Amino acid sequence: LNGGNSESRGALIVLEGLDRSGKTSQSSRLLTYLEGLGHSAESWRFPDRSTNVGQMISSYLSNKSQLDDHTIHLLFSANRWEKRSLMETKLKTGTILIVDRYSYSGVAFSSAKGLDIEWCKAPEIGLPAPDLVVFLDIQPEKAAERGGYGAERYEQLEFQRKVAHCYQSLHDASWKIIDACQPIEDIWKHLQESIGLCHDMSERQTPFLP
Ligand code: DGP
Ligand code: NA
Ligand code: NA
């Protein structure tokens, strides 16, 4: 695992999972840990609501606007593409990027609505490939019990069940699946172990390329 050394590439570490699976707290813990080890690291998240596209997404998620399912799918993807060159620059100069949600959310959430999965994957092809995908695995019912969902569009048990099903068809060799119902310290221990294995992952592929 590299980071902070401008001669070696950083790593793209993606955290995925249902809403309320604990991604956000694990990613901030991971950031602190990697920085403590002397790495250059940053914590990102998608959607990035700070851009113009991100604001359209945010408005859609909070039900302030309605958009066709295909249209919002492409906006989520565009939101990743607009960060692509900055991601590449950061990685090239040795920064480790910890990213909360990525292309897998893109495909899982849209195919859960019934959109064709191959159509959903297409706009993701060519984005920087993750070195490691950590999937925080939680049953939708358990996630729903965690302090309740907010008011956003997708935070409903029935829909999250469909998303969980779609995620299951997406995992590949870059995924490390961690049981997110364990005590938080055990999740963290498994996450640290996964990071330790990260440098062994030399097979990097653009997401979803056959
Ligand atoms: P978050 O900020 O992580 O809570 O994400 C907001 C919501 O949007 C969440 O329910 C997951 C969903 N989401 C994240 N990325 C995508 C995407 O690329 N496509 C779709 N359709 N939904 C996404
Ligand atoms: Na959310
Ligand atoms: Na996100």
Side-chain angles (χ1 to χ4, degrees), residues 87-160:
M87 287 174 90
E88 291 287 12
T89 303
K90 297 276 181 188
L91 292 169
K92 222 183 288 174
T93 53
T95 297
I96 299 172
L97 295 180
I98 304 158
V99 180
D100 186 334
R101 297 194 182 282
Y102 199 54
S103 303
Y104 307 94
S105 284
V107 176
F109 280 78
S110 288
S111 63
K113 298 172 178 174
L115 299 192
D116 177 73
I117 193 160
E118 296 307 321
W119 186 89
C120 291
K121 287 176 180 178
E124 305 299 315
I125 294 172
L127 285 171
D131 294 275
L132 172 69
V133 179
V134 174
F135 182 73
L136 295 180
D137 193 18
I138 188 169
Q139 288 168 282
E141 296 74 18
K142 289 268 163 58
E145 285 166 12
R146 291 187 167 179
Y149 289 133
E152 286 208 327
R153 187 181 285 268
Y154 297 146
E155 296 179 343
Q156 291 170 19
L157 181 55
E158 208 37 59
F159 185 68
Q160 298 278 327

Side-chain angles (χ1 to χ4, degrees), residues 127-130 203-210:
L127 285 171
E203 284 280 295
R204 300 187 64 259
Q205 284 199 331
T206 189
F208 310 124
L209 209 62

